[in-house]
Structures are given as C-alpha cells and as structure tokens.
Amino acid sequence: QVQLVESGGGLVQAGTSLRLSCAVSGLSFSGNNMGWFRQAPGKEREFVAAIGWSDASANYADSVKGRFTISRDSTKNTVYLQMDHLKPEDTAVYYCARTSDTIPTTYVYYWGQGTQVTVSS
C-alpha cells in the first residue's frame, strides 16, 4: 500500500521559515518523481515544486521561486520542502505527491493527506 505522509506544517509569522517532510512508503523511491502542491481556501490546488528521480533536477512555481527549495533523501525515502521568507499568501494545505514528471501540469499518481501551513502577517 502506497503512503505519503506529510508533516511539519504549522502557524508561523511572515518572514520566517518552515520545512515540510513527506515520508514515502509502499513504493520504490528510486525512479519516482515527487512534487509538492498546495490549496488555499476557495482556490484550486496548484503546483508548488517537483524534483526528478534521476538527477534531482527541480522545478518551481514562479510564486515560490527563490524562496522554496525541494529536496529528497533516498536513504530515508523522504522528500522535503524548505520554505523561507514565508508570506501570508503562502497559507494553504500542502500536499506531497508522486508525479509523472516535474512540470506544473504533471499527472499525479498518489497524494498525501496534506499538512496545514498558516502564515500570519
């Protein structure tokens, strides 16, 4: 059974940082592209970042480029999203995903349950 379990969300002030983690089980970490998405209240779910399995190349949404960093640790089967210089507009539920590739329109095979990030001004 495939499981993607996110953690690390919380309530923080604008300008601070958070690191989200996504523990992956039930599938081989090798060969799988992974991504992060988010959904704010009243809005559609949107692409945040993705990382390739072969060369760890990363792709980011313009809204987070330069502030967020996606990474992976194959020894721990875990994907991370380091979020710096957080803004109130980053407030959303963040979802980890197994993706078909690393572009924003990627197909998603599996979703995590999500973790809430709230940024106060």
Side-chain angles (χ1 to χ4, degrees), residues 51-72:
I51 188 166
W53 72 271
S54 60
D55 60 0
S57 60
N59 196 14
Y60 298 93
D62 288 342
S63 59
V64 307
K65 201 170 293 183
R67 299 189 298 121
F68 290 12
T69 303
I70 187 172
S71 62
R72 61 195 297 161

Side-chain angles (χ1 to χ4, degrees), residues 38-46 89-93 95 116:
R38 68 186 181 185
Q39 186 167 19
K43 295 187 177 181
E44 293 187 353
R45 193 171 299 189
E46 64 176 2
E89 51 264 43
D90 294 319
T91 295
V93 177
Y95 298 90
Q116 176 70 46

Side-chain angles (χ1 to χ4, degrees), residues 1-5 22-27 110-112:
Q1 181 181 0
V2 177
Q3 283 193 312
L4 282 64
V5 180
C22 173
V24 181
S25 62
L27 57 81
Y110 302 104
W111 292 102

Side-chain angles (χ1 to χ4, degrees), residues 6-7 20-22 34-38 46-50 70-71 79-81 94-97 99 111 115:
E6 303 96 334
S7 61
L20 305 182
S21 300
C22 173
M34 299 296 297
W36 287 94
F37 293 73
R38 68 186 181 185
E46 64 176 2
F47 172 86
V48 174
I70 187 172
S71 62
V79 181
Y80 303 99
L81 185 67
Y94 283 72
Y95 298 90
C96 177
T99 60
W111 292 102
T115 186

